[in-house]
């Protein structure tokens, strides 16, 4: 079935402004998401914030059921929070670590998660270890198997790293984690919205992601999935009147579902609009979205490979919509500035975002272009022509 790119572009006002290849930073919101956001803000302005939340209760609930449909889980296993990191933190800091406990992670690890490991390792004496990469740069699942012992308390993987097209073999990692009864936490921040994410097929126990990237939702929203059976074992690091009921002066009772990871005050308009973004992605179909993005990213990689002085930096045998590269003798920031000047959005990924991987490859920074299904082949051609101009200057 062919993808109706024209319809996608008509529903994406930002397409008329710029060539937006910064979907791994923040995707462009489509009309239904923009409408959902504005409608609720208008309602708040007219009738009051609390009253608007009550009136829109069905829409708020829809955000949980939409996410549950996307992830193949129950709405009660979803917490909606401010961003991916906060979701991830609520899961990670709920786990108890002690001296000698091992946390296994990957070389593509994201800064915000890794600094949390370092903090917990310092406080508790737990150890953080990196699973070796395979020859293509993905997590080596056999090496993971060899690292397992009774001291491994958590396997945590970034599905798609912030700095390139690699897709880690989450389902194979999940199978190892399940076999050994070790909790598996997946950072799906860059994969949510650009490929199917079925928590049963992936065998993940916890999964965090954001609204604003490939899901095309508003900024300042994210979510956490926690498997029902694990929820009672997790005491969130901080709680409020949403997470817990103050049952007696000296007592509280945590919510039994993933609501215990949320907080009470939140941006209701953005919460509703994230649900709309999920519904919208599901209407297009995540399998079709992945195929469309892969074709476009493939065309971009092919074009880049043919340009003199350009080196593609994507790793992994399975690759997604994030295309990373460097240009000989040119700082990534200069290349990005030259392209921004020509009306193209994309970004620099610095080594400080993914230290382990970037240092191992001797990279300080790289250029990162994240294409989405609403981008088209004409934009790829214009991007390549603009890059040639920037290189020639
Ligand atoms: C792989 C990965 N994980 C986590 C995050 C953090 O997401 P958020 O800014 O929504 O907390 C990012 C953001 O770029 C990311 O790329």
């Amino acid at each position: 079935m062919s993808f109706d790119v024209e319809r996608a572009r008509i529903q994406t006002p930002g397409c008329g402004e710029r060539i937006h290849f910064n979907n791994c930073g923040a995707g462009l919101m489509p009309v239904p998401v923009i409408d959902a956001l504005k409608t609720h803000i208008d309602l708040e302005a007219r009738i009051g914030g609390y009253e608007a939340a009550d009136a829109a209760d069905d829409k708020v609930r829809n955000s949980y059921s939409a996410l549950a449909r996307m992830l193949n889980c129950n709405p009660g296993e979803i917490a909606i929070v401010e961003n991916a990191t906060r979701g991830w933190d609520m899961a990670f800091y709920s786990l108890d670590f002690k001296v000698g406990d091992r946390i296994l992670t990957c070389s593509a690890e994201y800064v915000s998660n890794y600094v949390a490991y370092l903090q917990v390792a310092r406080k508790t004496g737990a150890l953080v270890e990196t699973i070796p990469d395979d020859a293509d740069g993905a997590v080596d699942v056999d090496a993971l198997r060899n690292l397992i012992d009774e001291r491994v308390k958590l396997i945590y993987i970034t599905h798609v790293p912030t700095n390139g097209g690699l897709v880690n073999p989450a389902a194979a990692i999940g199978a190892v984690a399940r076999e050994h009864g070790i909790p598996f936490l997946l950072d799906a921040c860059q994969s949510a919205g650009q490929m199917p994410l079925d928590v049963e097929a992936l065998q993940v126990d916890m999964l965090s992601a954001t609204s604003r990237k490939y899901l095309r939702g508003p900024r300042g929203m994210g979510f956490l999935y926690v498997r029902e059976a694990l929820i009672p074992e997790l005491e969130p690091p901080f709680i409020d009147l949403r997470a817990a009921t103050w049952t007696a002066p000296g007592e509280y009772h945590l919510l039994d579902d993933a609501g215990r990871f949320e907080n009470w005050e939140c941006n209701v308009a953005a919460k509703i609009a994230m649900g709309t973004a999920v519904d919208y992605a599901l209407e297009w179909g995540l399998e079709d979205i992945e195929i469309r993005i892969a074709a476009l990213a493939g065309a971009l990689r092919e074009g880049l490979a043919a340009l003199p002085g350009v080196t593609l930096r994507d790793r992994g045998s399975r690759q997604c919509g994030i295309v990373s590269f460097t240009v000989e003798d040119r700082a990534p920031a200069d290349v990005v500035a030259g392209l921004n000047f020509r009306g193209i959005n994309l970004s620099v990924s610095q080594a400080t975002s993914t230290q382990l991987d970037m240092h191992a490859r001797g990279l300080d920074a790289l250029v990162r272009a994240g294409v989405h299904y609403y981008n088209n082949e004409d934009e790829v051609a214009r991007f390549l022509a603009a890059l040639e101009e920037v290189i020639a200057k």
Side-chain angles (χ1 to χ4, degrees):
M1 194 192 76
S2 74
F3 204 96
D4 192 350
V5 181
E6 263 329 291
R7 184 166 74 89
R9 292 180 70 76
I10 289 166
Q11 293 178 352
T12 307
C15 285
E17 300 280 326
R18 319 263 303 173
I19 295 180
H20 188 74
F21 283 3
N22 198 14
N23 292 288
C24 41
L28 292 176
M29 288 187 284
V31 169
V33 173
I34 301 166
D35 285 350
L37 204 51
K38 287 181 174 170
T39 301
H40 192 75
I41 289 171
D42 284 347
L43 190 65
E44 286 185 345
R46 280 200 295 114
I47 68 167
Y50 286 24
E51 294 73 11
D54 286 345
D57 190 49
D58 285 355
K59 292 182 184 174
V60 172
R61 283 172 197 275
N62 176 65
S63 296
Y64 294 87
S65 46
L67 285 164
R69 273 198 305 284
M70 181 174 80
L71 299 175
N72 186 25
C73 67
N74 299 317
E77 295 177 305
I78 301 284
I80 296 182
V81 291
E82 299 92 312
N83 51 53
T85 304
R86 178 43 49 91
W88 188 94
D89 282 343
M90 292 305 276
F92 178 67
Y93 284 98
S94 295
L95 294 159
D96 268 337
F97 296 101
K98 50 184 189 316
V99 182
D101 283 349
R102 299 169 67 207
I103 300 168
L104 302 184
T105 184
C106 62
S107 66
E109 202 34 86
Y110 186 66
V111 47
S112 299
N113 307 333
Y114 205 85
V115 293
Y117 294 146
L118 294 178
Q119 188 188 49
V120 163
R122 268 181 209 159
K123 280 188 177 165
T124 65
L127 307 166
V128 187
E129 294 171 44
T130 308
I131 306 160
D133 292 337
D134 66 15
D136 293 321
V139 170
D140 184 332
V141 180
D142 290 330
L144 165 65
R145 232 178 246 114
N146 293 332
L147 286 172
I148 303 287
D149 67 15
E150 69 291 344
R151 290 181 305 139
V152 176
K153 287 285 143 47
L154 176 68
I155 298 173
Y156 157 63
I157 303 295
T158 290
H159 198 191
V160 168
T162 202
N163 65 334
L166 166 75
V167 184
N168 267 320
I173 295 163
V176 175
R178 186 62 56 85
E179 188 187 326
H180 295 277
I182 300 166
F184 175 33
L185 169 55
L186 188 70
D187 176 342
C189 189
Q190 294 287 3
S191 51
Q194 70 161 321
M195 60 191 67
L197 283 179
D198 178 327
V199 294
E200 291 306 322
L202 296 171
Q203 303 195 55
V204 297
D205 299 300
M206 297 164 280
L207 178 151
S208 58
T210 204
S211 147
R212 74 180 180 283
K213 295 179 187 286
Y214 278 91
L215 263 179
R216 309 183 64 195
R219 295 195 65 176
M221 271 290 127
F223 61 90
L224 169 70
Y225 154 80
V226 181
R227 189 172 290 281
E228 192 174 7
L230 197 59
I231 295 174
E233 295 173 32
L234 301 181
E235 173 90 20
F238 34 82
I239 55 178
D240 74 354
L241 74 166
R242 161 74 182 139
T245 308
W246 195 12
T247 46
E251 301 281 336
Y252 68 88
H253 180 77
L254 285 170
L255 282 182
D256 294 325
D257 65 13
R260 67 172 58 188
F261 304 107
E262 296 186 342
N263 49 58
W264 189 85
E265 173 55 3
C266 72
N267 183 338
V268 179
K271 193 169 184 174
I272 292 169
M274 176 168 70
T276 309
V278 174
D279 282 334
Y280 188 75
L282 292 173
E283 273 167 35
W284 284 101
L286 286 157
E287 284 87 2
D288 290 348
I289 288 174
E290 184 177 15
I291 293 167
R292 165 74 192 153
I293 291 175
L296 213 53
L300 180 55
R301 286 192 188 99
E302 208 177 298
L304 286 167
L307 292 184
V310 173
T311 306
L312 283 169
R313 297 293 181 178
D314 297 321
R315 312 184 81 195
S317 50
R318 179 179 170 200
Q319 296 185 339
C320 66
I322 306 181
V323 177
S324 60
F325 62 95
T326 51
V327 179
E328 203 177 353
D329 298 330
R330 300 296 290 270
D334 289 348
V335 175
V336 168
L339 290 166
N340 285 168
F341 179 73
R342 287 165 176 78
I344 298 168
N345 294 348
L346 77 172
S347 51
V348 177
S349 194
Q350 304 284 357
T352 45
S353 291
T354 42
Q355 292 262 11
L356 305 180
D357 169 52
M358 295 288 270
H359 283 175
R361 293 196 275 159
L363 293 167
D364 292 333
L366 44 74
V367 183
R368 182 179 79 146
V371 293
H372 216 318
Y373 61 81
Y374 59 77
N375 293 125
N376 64 18
E377 288 70 9
D378 177 54
E379 289 181 312
V380 170
R382 281 156 59 205
F383 174 93
L384 292 168
L387 180 60
E388 261 190 295
E389 248 178 63
V390 170
I391 294 173
K393 269 195 102 183

